[in-house]
Amino acid sequence: MNVLNVISTLEKVRQVNPLVHNITNVVVTNFTANGLLALGASPVMAYAKEEVADMAKIAGALVLNIGTLNEMEVEAMLIAGKSANENKVPVIFDPVGAGATLYRTETARKIVKEVNISMIRGNAAEVANVIGENWDIKGVDAGEGNGDVLMLAKKAAQQLGTIVVITGKDDIVTDGQTTYVIHNGHPLLTKVTGTGCLLTSVIGAFAAVESNLLNAAAAALVSYGVAAEIAASKTAHDGPGSFQMAFLNALSNIQKEDISELGRVEQV
Ligand code: ATP
Ligand code: TZP
Ligand code: MG
Ligand code: MG
């Protein structure tokens, strides 16, 4: 994985315009749809248990996000996940707030048990809580924690048999053997709600066009982080509102030269 792979995978997303089926939370729905459109993917949100199997089957990727979960939605996620599995559609899981309440933790564990998840993306606390490690969490934001995040990511990948993405100041992606650290992004991303959730869906868009899912996730993380840096360079003096708009623009306008110049991916 290098910046050239990132560029070619981003170009493929724009060419293919993959359908990404999201079962996500009420906070981030509109931002997620707009972010995927800006990137060059095709978003759809579908939640009814009567239709999710059909929608997941025709999608390039299925994204499950438990940010504002309830029983009906969880039932739909399990139906959609199983349909995606039967139809070889990659499933990306965002365990928003796992560890904050027993219901979230138990639901996240149920989803990874009953659905064959291709990738899980969360902050360190969420991933730790899914695999039964102790890590503080405050609501949907990562707590301080004091563990080794690299070790945590590898352990989670091995335990869950899936690719694990843990984000924060630096982002980690691992299959338990090969591990990349991505040094892109900007602190303003933490001041706009849904930037983690949108990232999970963006990883879905990349997974829809690149069958090497480790490379797909790394390419998504670099592209996303570089877009944030470009947006911040134009708006940091104003604040999160302007940044959010500039970030959508940057997802749409990001060029291969930007990735060559700013992309920072390291194998560790
Ligand atoms: P949390 O609830 O802990 O904020 P999240 O689900 O919102 O988690 P983040 O970890 O914030 O997800 O990741 C979303 C994006 O923000 C990623 O691209 C990540 O690299 C970026 N990011 C998060 N914190 C920072 C930071 N301090 N500096 C630069 N980029 C960051
Ligand atoms: N509450 C429930 S879901 C949600 C909030 C604030 C959005 C979380 O989004 P992100 O991407 O994890 O910051
Ligand atoms: Mg965040
Ligand atoms: Mg999140």
Side-chain angles (χ1 to χ4, degrees):
M1 164 53 58
N2 56 40
V3 289
L4 291 178
N5 299 128
V6 175
I7 292 166
S8 63
T9 317
L10 173 62
E11 282 174 347
K12 211 159 158 200
V13 171
R14 288 171 170 165
Q15 249 165 35
V16 174
N17 185 226
L19 180 67
V20 181
H21 176 192
N22 304 269
I23 303 182
T24 190
N25 68 73
V26 298
V27 182
V28 306
T29 304
N30 178 269
F31 182 56
T32 301
N34 279 326
L36 285 171
L37 282 173
L39 179 75
S42 179
V44 64
M45 279 60 179
Y47 299 90
K49 66 176 192 290
E50 292 79 3
E51 70 165 347
V52 288
D54 289 344
M55 190 64 82
K57 150 164 99 180
I58 59 165
L62 171 69
V63 176
L64 304 178
N65 176 312
I66 60 166
T68 50
L69 76 179
N70 59 54
E71 268 321 278
M72 257 166 46
E73 206 170 282
V74 173
E75 190 186 346
M77 285 186 194
L78 295 174
I79 295 170
K82 284 168 193 169
S83 168
N85 287 165
E86 278 161 23
N87 292 283
K88 309 229 171 327
V89 173
V91 182
I92 327 298
F93 179 45
D94 191 329
V96 183
T101 66
L102 188 61
Y103 180 50
R104 274 172 199 264
T105 311
E106 285 182 346
T107 301
R109 289 180 187 164
K110 183 174 175 154
I111 288 172
V112 295
K113 192 164 156 226
E114 293 191 20
V115 177
N116 188 4
I117 299 291
S118 317
M119 290 197 242
I120 184 165
R121 198 293 315 166
N123 62 44
E126 290 160 346
V127 172
N129 278 287
V130 173
I131 64 160
E133 296 273 311
N134 265 331
W135 205 290
D136 288 339
I137 182 157
K138 184 186 76 187
V140 297
D141 292 326
E144 284 303 303
N146 50 12
D148 180 335
V149 184
L150 215 49
M151 289 297 296
L152 169 66
K154 285 185 196 165
K155 186 172 178 188
Q158 282 157 4
Q159 197 168 312
L160 299 171
T162 180
I163 288 169
V164 171
V165 178
I166 296 183
T167 54
K169 184 172 178 299
D170 294 317
D171 301 330
I172 297 165
V173 55
T174 184
D175 61 6
Q177 307 296 327
T178 306
T179 304
Y180 297 108
V181 177
I182 288 90
H183 302 282
N184 292 109
H186 192 277
L188 271 171
L189 283 169
T190 66
K191 299 296 176 199
V192 175
T193 193
T195 55
C197 301
L198 171 57
L199 171 60
T200 306
S201 292
V202 164
I203 291 173
F206 278 73
V209 303
E210 170 54 63
S211 57
N212 180 328
L213 296 183
L214 192 68
N215 285 357
L221 290 164
V222 173
S223 305
Y224 200 83
V226 167
E229 289 170 29
I230 292 170
S233 72
K234 295 182 173 156
T235 58
H237 52 282
D238 287 334
S242 306
F243 171 77
Q244 182 176 16
M245 292 303 126
F247 180 54
L248 289 178
N249 293 337
L251 281 174
S252 169
N253 296 330
I254 184 172
Q255 301 296 318
K256 56 185 178 204
E257 292 77 14
D258 301 319
I259 302 225
S260 309
E261 193 187 324
L262 299 171
R264 280 179 292 153
V265 53
E266 177 195 8
Q267 186 167 355
V268 296

